[in-house]
Amino acid sequence: MNNWKHVDPAMAIQGEEVLRRLNDHGHQAYFVGGCVRDEIMNRPVTDMDITTSAKPEEVMALFEGSIPTGLQHGTVTVRMNGFHFEVTTFRTESGYEDYRRPSEVQFVDQVEEDLKRRDFTMNAIAQDYAGQIIDPFNGVTDIERRIVRAVGLAEERFREDALRMLRGVRFASIFDFDIDSLTWDGLLAERDKLPHIAMERVRTEMDKMLAGPYPARGVRLLMDSELLHYVKAPVKLSGLDRTALSLLDKLPQATEFRLGLLLLLLGANSNDADQKLRAWTYSGKVKDRMTELLDLHEAVLNLISKIVKEAQMELRSRYLEEEWKRSVLQHGVTASEDWHALNSLLPQSFYDMSNEEYLLLDELMEHAAEWRMEMGIYSLKELELSGSDLLRVTGRKGGPWLGETMNWLLRQVVTGQLVNKHDILLEATKKVISDEK
């Protein structure tokens, strides 16, 4: 029995029961891959994969209620008291299609043969029921040396599955490892295979990297390797400031937040970002959040430039506050919070503006949260006067005037020109309508 230190004890007990039952029926069985790697690295283990000499039908006969999740590849999902374990028959692979999927899978009898097909040495380690390590490619040593190294010839591993190149960068980023020189050479030699990989899979690797502890390291590796120049929806990172990239590591480990900073550092506008994020298969929610952030960023920079050029010195602060509040209404609270948090990290050298403009930006950064809180309300539905109230009181038919009037009231309230009280809003509206006549 193993002495797992970084696994849920209940999951470890059930996983060991799977191995024991397979062993008792004459089959070899091992924990393999990420669970063994993460235990060695003192990282939390979230799932436990198992490899075995038993054929899929033999696994299913031993475990009632198991799920044939990938019989063509020898994979069965075994359910044990609320835990799921992917159990895969020892296999070799060949005839890779589109540099991604094997067209031929052959079951074999030895675990060492199975480990040969895996991507990196750190993931080609197996462990038996007694805790004995099977490590034919010195993965434990590479973990100790903090090295990402391909199993066998890197070029062959990357030709089999081009996504492995991005996985290698992701592992180096998350673990803060170096990439072995021969593995790096193989990556550069085979990167032209990346157009065969679906963008959804590319995005998944990027998201995992950005959500990790050292995203700046991953982005620098992508810059050096130019891997993203070769994917179906290419992105050029060559213009990024390598020093500014360190800011990524200072942000909370949230993909969207870090993606927003990366887009700002790339100097992307909302139209470019919209197209790229669609091509990268990001959800509409993420796309909208990023484009609103970039729209707000551009609006703020234009606003500051305009105030410096046109407003008298003594009026600048008031205009800045009013326009910021209007921007929050237009682009949303989330965009304003994202923008404030991200721009608070950026050095003055990031901005192409005069000292006079930067002082105004600095003032906004100091008061943005305070002014946002002062607004009190952020949408039409929070007004004490509804559109139906206006139609009833005025006797007018609906039309563009109604939306324009309601939005005018909202702006007046958030900038402190009117109090959000039904009677006050109604009287203000009546006066505006009367003046129009």
Side-chain angles (χ1 to χ4, degrees), residues 88-139:
T88 303
T89 304
F90 299 159
R91 70 181 194 242
T92 60
E93 299 172 341
S94 59
Y96 286 83
E97 298 175 352
D98 298 330
Y99 306 100
R100 180 73 183 110
R101 297 177 301 274
S103 59
E104 297 178 21
V105 171
Q106 183 175 356
F107 297 142
V108 293
D109 296 326
Q110 298 299 319
V111 67
E112 290 83 359
E113 289 298 310
D114 181 86
L115 295 177
K116 282 182 181 179
R117 70 178 175 83
R118 297 178 183 266
D119 52 7
F120 302 103
T121 60
M122 67 173 73
N123 299 324
I125 308 170
Q127 184 171 301
D128 67 13
Y129 181 83
Q132 180 179 350
I133 292 290
I134 311 298
D135 183 21
F137 304 103
N138 298 313

Side-chain angles (χ1 to χ4, degrees), residues 10 55 60 64 99 156 159 164 187 200 205 245 263 268 285 307 309 314 319 326 338 343 359 364 372 398:
K55 303 298 188 291
M60 295 184 71
E64 184 178 353
Y99 306 100
E156 291 183 4
R159 281 197 293 271
R164 287 171 170 171
L187 180 152
E200 183 178 2
E205 292 300 322
L245 279 176
L263 289 169
K285 182 180 178 181
I307 291 176
K309 290 177 181 176
E314 62 271 16
Y319 286 164
R326 288 173 180 153
D338 286 350
N343 279 267
L359 287 174
L364 176 57
R372 185 173 60 245

Side-chain angles (χ1 to χ4, degrees), residues 3-7 35-42 45:
N3 184 24
W4 295 96
K5 297 179 181 178
H6 303 284
V7 182
C35 63
V36 181
R37 176 200 69 212
D38 289 345
E39 177 71 17
I40 292 170
M41 294 177 63
N42 298 314
V45 176

Side-chain angles (χ1 to χ4, degrees), residues 136-276:
F137 304 103
N138 298 313
V140 173
T141 299
D142 284 341
I143 289 172
E144 292 170 349
R145 295 171 57 214
R146 307 179 66 81
I147 293 289
V148 176
R149 183 164 62 90
V151 172
L153 294 176
E155 288 86 347
E156 291 183 4
R157 299 292 81 76
F158 296 146
R159 281 197 293 271
E160 291 166 354
D161 183 353
L163 187 65
R164 287 171 170 171
M165 291 179 264
L166 291 169
R167 281 171 54 84
V169 169
R170 192 240 303 173
F171 288 135
S173 173
I174 290 177
F175 302 148
D176 196 23
F177 279 16
D178 292 324
I179 297 179
D180 165 72
S181 59
L182 292 178
T183 300
W184 182 260
D185 291 343
L187 180 152
L188 297 181
E190 301 298 329
R191 60 191 175 181
D192 62 340
K193 311 300 188 299
L194 281 169
H196 295 276
I197 304 301
M199 285 308 302
E200 183 178 2
R201 293 188 174 277
V202 174
R203 173 183 55 77
T204 298
E205 292 300 322
M206 280 292 295
D207 285 348
K208 290 178 179 179
M209 187 193 77
L210 287 175
Y214 309 107
R217 174 163 180 72
V219 176
R220 291 187 186 105
L221 287 170
L222 290 174
M223 291 175 68
D224 292 339
S225 63
E226 298 185 340
L227 290 185
L228 297 190
H229 291 207
Y230 291 84
V231 299
K232 287 182 177 179
V235 175
K236 291 188 177 181
L237 303 177
S238 54
L240 281 172
D241 183 327
R242 288 176 175 269
T243 302
L245 279 176
S246 61
L247 299 173
L248 287 170
D249 296 349
K250 297 180 180 180
L251 291 172
Q253 287 181 230
T255 299
E256 291 179 23
F257 214 48
R258 290 173 168 182
L259 178 61
L261 179 57
L262 190 57
L263 289 169
L264 286 176
L265 293 175
L266 283 168
N269 61 44
S270 61
N271 288 333
D272 290 341
D274 181 84
Q275 294 176 9
K276 287 294 186 187

Side-chain angles (χ1 to χ4, degrees), residues 312-346:
Q312 298 177 10
M313 184 67 71
E314 62 271 16
L315 298 177
R316 288 179 179 179
S317 293
R318 181 163 66 86
Y319 286 164
L320 183 66
E321 177 182 352
E322 291 179 356
E323 292 303 321
W324 168 247
K325 291 177 177 179
R326 288 173 180 153
S327 294
V328 174
L329 289 181
Q330 180 178 351
H331 300 285
V333 174
T334 298
S336 69
E337 291 173 340
D338 286 350
W339 181 88
H340 188 210
L342 294 175
N343 279 267
S344 65
L345 294 174
L346 298 174

